[in-house]
Amino acid sequence: MGIYLNNAATSWPKPAEVAEAMSKFLLQGGANLARGANSERDLETLNFVLDCRFKLAEFFNGYEDQDPRYITFCANITEALNIVLRGYSDYIAQRRKAVPGMKVLTSSMEHNAVMRPLRFLEQHGVILKVLPCEPDGFLKPEVLERELKFNKYDLMVMSHASNVSGTVQDIERIAEICKLNKLNLVLDTAQTAGVLKLDVKKLNLAALCFTGHKGLMGPQGTGGVVWRPDFAAQVTPIISGGTGSFSHLEYQPEDLPDKFESGTPNLPGIAGLNAALTWLNKVGIDNIKNREHELGEYFLNKIKNFKNLKLSGKQDMTGRLAVFSINFDNYDNGVLADELSRLGFETRPGLHCSPSAHKTLNTFPAGSLRVSLGYFNNFNEIDKFIEALNKILGADN
Ligand SMILES: Cc1ncc(COP(=O)(O)O)c(C=O)c1O
């Protein structure tokens, strides 16, 4: 077994309880959600899905006393962001009955899960403004403040932390500015959910989008939205169909969670995510954050010795995650990743689905070698990685 240093792509390994819960559902449960009678198996499914909603509402401190109805399950954060952005844009377009419709702000550090839906909407009449970030990936809150002095927007969407450089944004200050300007803030928490504490109410988020398979330690194919009720009421569902409820209606129900959850959900995935949340609550998010911080400090200390290495983003662990983008002079990051994988180290080279972020960090088009640490990594693995780099690069680095 190799050494896994690609946790920003998906966390690995998962807690054993995740696979156990999924296997139990498939082997012993297996009933669909709200599409049976009240058999024991039907109720089991209903129970763990509801339990998972409750846990997510508590985990993110959801609205209306952590009401589980304001949690929507999706296949991943990409789907969650599309549901929010396309659905809200449709609402604005209907209300204004005109093009251009929605006016939206984002940052230059976004993943394509944000950029591509926005560029698609822009091609259909939405006005998009991309706020420039600093060369270390940080969005200065003053840049947003200044923009809002002269222009009015309907929505701001941005990531809490970069999947390329690990740069963490000052989301508290940004949320304050958005609230003051009555601007809906939608947060991409792909890299931070399960690693940093998130509180939707405190940040007054219109929607928090999450993916289940990274820091939340769940299986692939899970994710969702935590909604602010007034915002959810405005968003048009972009997918409609059977919900196992209101079966007399040929129109999509307005009630949550049904409004945004048509079709059979990923029940084995939700069973796994539910078990992952139990594990996260047991370990404690502060312990996870501290562990990743201490691993990050150790990694940074070790890579200082390479004279030809360039690290993107923040140069110490203040304001960053243990997600590191590095480059060596005169060594292609793709070739390096290949050589590392031959020695048993899993990393990710290239552009990480984030061309705009790499442009901001001055690593476009070559990209970088991304090393992303997780809770289950250890110091010994970092030592071995450094040894491997020395072996590949030779004494001159
Ligand atoms: C910041 C960010 N946003 C969105 C995504 C998309 O996640 P998913 O593939 O789970 O939808 C990722 C995944 O790498 C990410 O890092």
Side-chain angles (χ1 to χ4, degrees), residues 8-9 76-79 81 111 113 159 161 163 188 190-191 211 213-214:
N76 45 53
I77 194 171
T78 304
E79 187 178 275
L81 286 160
H111 187 279
S159 55
N163 61 305
D188 168 348
Q191 294 297 331
T211 209
H213 67 102
K214 300 189 196 251

Side-chain angles (χ1 to χ4, degrees), residues 8-10 75-81 109-114 159-164 188-192 210-214 220-223 348 352-354 370:
T10 197
N76 45 53
I77 194 171
T78 304
E79 187 178 275
L81 286 160
M109 281 302 287
E110 301 310 309
H111 187 279
N112 272 343
V114 167
S159 55
H160 188 191
S162 164
N163 61 305
V164 178
D188 168 348
T189 67
Q191 294 297 331
T192 52
F210 63 91
T211 209
H213 67 102
K214 300 189 196 251
Q220 291 86 356
T222 58
R348 184 178 174 196
H352 315 98
C353 303
S354 307
R370 186 180 69 184

